[in-house]
Amino acid sequence: NISRFTAFAEEWFILDLAPKRSSLTGPSNGIIRILFSVVYVTILLWMIVQLPSNDGANHSDAKTQRDALLTIAALAASVLVPGIFRFLVLSAGAIVAGLLPLLQVIETFSLIWVLLMIVPGSTVAGYTCSFDGKVLPYKLNGLAVLFVTVAFYYGLCTAGWKDPTYLAAHFFDAERPVDAGYQRCLTRDQVLAAPKNENGDIEDLPALLAKLPVNKNTIWALEYFNGSFFNPRVFGVDVKMALYCLGAVMLQLNILSMAALHTVNNGGVTANAVTVYVFIFTWFLIEYSYYENVHLYTYDLFAEKIGAKLVFGCLGFYPYLYCIGGIVLTIYTPNTNSAYGPTFLVFYTGWFLTRGANMQKFFYKTDPASTTVFFGKVEQKVIPGSRILYSGFWGVSRHVNYLGEIIQGVALALPGFLVLYSTEPFWLCLVPWIYPLYYVCLFIPRERDDNEICRKKYGKAWDEYCEKVPYRIVPYIY
Ligand code: NDP
């Protein structure tokens, strides 16, 4: 079991390209590794060259559906093709068997994309705008897509056509496929605040665009990582929202499959730690999909572009790394009941902070005139002359929502940790903590990035906010 973890850790590094478990051993394995690396890098470079560039223009949208499609195809292929190659080499003796886990993932992603296109959903005005100042519409059907996908696979598994343990049993095989810049999208707030002419159009669009932070990405490697376009749409589906939805649904399927595999490995019994883990993670994903409209107002939407980082992040990283605390529960037979109390307590504390802060900001952005929220319990106070909240959750620390997210991550590490703690070497007990640790690494630079952007955008009002609310994430500590 330990070797499964170490193999996973080794394979995680994308430059470690050649197969460990290949039927080839000795010097031939070394040569294959080098050849494989050359092929991989060549394909990657070719993909980068294929990317439609935004020609260094500071602010541009994907001009045509073809541009958007090409970007997505090149990025998706650059993530998936090395994976396919890897499978081919990995299973020199059994190509088909090696490809199946990847095909399963492709099948699921394709299904989700089609569902995103056809499942009805309400269409709402987003917070982000195209660079000609038009508010972008978004179709919200993520929760329905999550339910339909899970129900679909549940049906197939019940009918005996699919094996519910498949994803978890091939977890390490499927997870093969492979910095944020300072640029930002135009948002509705900025468009609303801009002076208009008599036709209601923005008077001076270039001046408005000139105020946006820019990251030119003149180096194509950076363009490849950070992306070219903010809001491409393919067949009516917003690509960025789709990527987040693909990741969330795949993560849900992985977690359910892990529970199935655990139960099979555990003689037909589902241990409490697993029930708790599946329950809170399912809560996390359902509520995330339910509040899809709140997601439209986040950094993910106005500050991230479609690039390798996001494509790889949503397809190859987020559905796999996030459930690292669950993987241990499939490998080890849990023997503790103590997971219930602390896990629920910690999780819902985190949830209260993150959801509370996000909702308070969402209520303010969508209804700036209202003076109280949460049934009149919290006043909406803003720094005079700005749209910066400093009351309620936003008065505790400047990003208490990040603190809540980290606390939720801690809760999701607890069941695995408690199970391993009593029987396994200490270093192994640390594996589930990779997830909350990743959040710490994600949120510290993200908060600093956001702080700088907000300082540029809001000027003195932001300084005043920082004086009133001096803590970045953790009150009295950081
Ligand atoms: P925020 O929701 O904090 O968004 C930051 C933006 O909100 C700022 O750029 C600014 O934008 C506005 N803002 C900041 N402070 C204030 C204030 N005091 N009053 C009013 N507006 C303010 O961060 P994110 O978008 O990064 O995160 C959103 C949620 O998503 C969080 O809960 C986070 O934890 C979660 N998340 C989860 C991840 C995961 O993998 N599970 C990954 C990333 C995020 P403007 O004024 O321009 O509107």
Side-chain angles (χ1 to χ4, degrees):
N1 288 340
I2 288 174
S3 69
R4 282 189 76 173
F5 276 116
T6 49
F8 174 59
E10 282 169 18
E11 288 171 6
W12 188 253
F13 299 102
I14 53 168
L15 281 178
D16 174 32
L17 298 162
K20 285 276 179 304
R21 281 169 275 154
S22 153
S23 51
L24 299 160
T25 50
S28 54
N29 194 10
I31 293 166
I32 289 284
R33 289 166 76 96
I34 292 167
L35 280 178
F36 189 82
S37 308
V38 171
V39 172
Y40 176 90
V41 172
T42 313
I43 291 175
L44 214 63
L45 289 177
W46 180 77
M47 291 297 169
I48 293 170
V49 175
Q50 297 306 305
L51 273 181
S53 165
N54 67 6
D55 298 328
N58 297 346
H59 304 292
S60 69
D61 297 315
K63 292 281 177 297
T64 60
Q65 175 137 313
R66 189 178 150 274
D67 266 4
L69 255 175
L70 261 175
T71 311
I72 312 313
L75 290 168
S78 68
V79 172
L80 292 175
V81 169
I84 294 172
F85 259 76
R86 195 167 175 134
F87 276 103
L88 289 175
V89 184
L90 183 75
S91 47
I95 289 173
V96 174
L99 271 176
L100 282 179
L102 188 66
L103 290 179
Q104 172 62 65
V105 172
I106 294 172
E107 172 205 291
T108 309
F109 283 154
S110 313
L111 170 75
I112 299 169
W113 196 284
V114 171
L115 288 175
L116 283 168
M117 284 164 58
I118 62 174
V119 170
S122 54
T123 298
V124 301
Y127 184 48
T128 52
C129 300
S130 57
F131 287 113
D132 54 6
K134 302 269 178 317
V135 174
L136 290 165
Y138 288 87
K139 179 175 158 192
L140 303 178
N141 59 359
L143 185 62
V145 169
L146 175 74
F147 282 134
V148 172
T149 314
V150 172
F152 176 75
Y153 281 115
Y154 179 78
L156 291 186
C157 292
T158 320
W161 293 341
K162 282 234 179 249
D163 172 4
T165 69
Y166 186 84
L167 283 176
H170 294 85
F171 187 77
F172 297 105
D173 301 331
E175 180 19 36
R176 265 317 176 286
V178 233
D179 193 335
Y182 266 31
Q183 196 173 357
R184 283 242 169 149
C185 195
L186 194 60
T187 62
R188 207 168 64 203
D189 264 8
Q190 289 164 304
V191 170
L192 284 176
K196 310 282 185 320
N197 60 21
E198 61 278 6
N199 302 330
D201 296 328
I202 298 167
E203 231 167 50
D204 191 352
L205 187 62
L208 180 62
L209 295 180
K211 282 195 198 147
L212 289 175
V214 178
N215 171 22
K216 272 197 184 165
N217 278 351
T218 40
I219 307 171
W220 29 279
L222 271 183
E223 178 128 328
Y224 172 76
F225 271 105
N226 291 339
S228 312
F229 305 118
F230 270 109
N231 303 300
R233 275 123 202 267
V234 173
F235 304 129
V237 175
D238 180 80
V239 175
K240 220 185 296 172
M241 289 296 274
L243 284 173
Y244 286 109
C245 185
L246 288 164
V249 178
M250 196 69 200
L251 178 56
Q252 178 75 75
L253 293 176
N254 276 336
I255 289 160
L256 293 173
S257 181
M258 280 172 192
L261 183 61
H262 151 81
T263 307
V264 169
N265 288 347
N266 204 25
V269 179
T270 310
N272 290 338
V274 175
T275 312
V276 174
Y277 183 80
V278 172
F279 181 86
I280 59 172
F281 225 138
T282 302
W283 174 288
F284 180 91
L285 290 166
I286 288 184
E287 81 94 49
Y288 168 76
S289 310
Y290 178 76
Y291 290 111
E292 208 177 8
N293 53 345
V294 181
H295 192 189
L296 299 178
Y297 290 75
T298 62
Y299 184 102
D300 290 347
L301 269 278
F302 58 68
E304 298 275 19
K305 285 188 280 181
I306 301 289
K309 183 178 140 218
L310 213 64
V311 173
F312 167 64
C314 290
L315 301 186
F317 181 77
Y318 143 48
Y320 295 92
L321 182 99
Y322 280 30
C323 51
I324 189 119
I327 269 291
V328 299
L329 297 170
T330 65
I331 300 174
Y332 297 90
T333 309
N335 60 355
T336 178
N337 284 333
S338 59
Y340 273 121
T343 307
F344 279 128
L345 188 70
V346 175
F347 180 79
Y348 285 104
T349 306
W351 181 69
F352 171 75
L353 293 178
T354 195
R355 182 49 62 205
N358 292 339
M359 292 314 290
Q360 189 189 347
K361 185 173 69 146
F362 174 72
F363 290 142
Y364 179 65
K365 294 277 177 189
T366 46
D367 182 13
S370 89
T371 50
T372 59
V373 282
F374 304 125
F375 310 106
K377 296 274 184 256
V378 174
E379 272 187 78
Q380 294 286 65
K381 291 189 199 157
V382 291
I383 303 282
S386 79
R387 296 186 53 135
I388 305 169
L389 285 162
Y390 70 90
S391 59
F393 291 93
W394 296 90
V396 176
S397 74
R398 299 203 296 270
H399 272 98
V400 78
N401 48 356
Y402 290 172
L403 175 63
E405 202 86 23
I406 295 168
I407 295 176
Q408 283 180 296
V410 168
L412 284 160
L414 277 177
F417 172 72
L418 292 170
V419 163
L420 295 178
Y421 186 69
S422 47
T423 52
E424 301 302 327
F426 186 69
W427 72 267
L428 206 55
C429 304
L430 299 180
V431 169
W433 295 100
I434 291 174
Y435 175 51
L437 186 69
Y438 155 75
Y439 270 169
V440 173
C441 300
L442 172 78
F443 286 133
I444 288 180
R446 187 162 166 144
E447 186 279 330
R448 287 180 172 264
D449 179 15
D450 196 52
N451 196 52
E452 281 315 302
I453 298 277
C454 288
R455 174 163 288 128
K456 277 186 199 146
K457 189 170 150 186
Y458 292 112
K460 281 207 174 73
W462 189 257
D463 292 334
E464 204 178 312
Y465 177 49
C466 294
E467 255 172 50
K468 267 197 197 319
V469 185
Y471 299 103
R472 292 171 181 272
I473 297 178
V474 191
Y476 303 107
I477 296 178
Y478 176 73

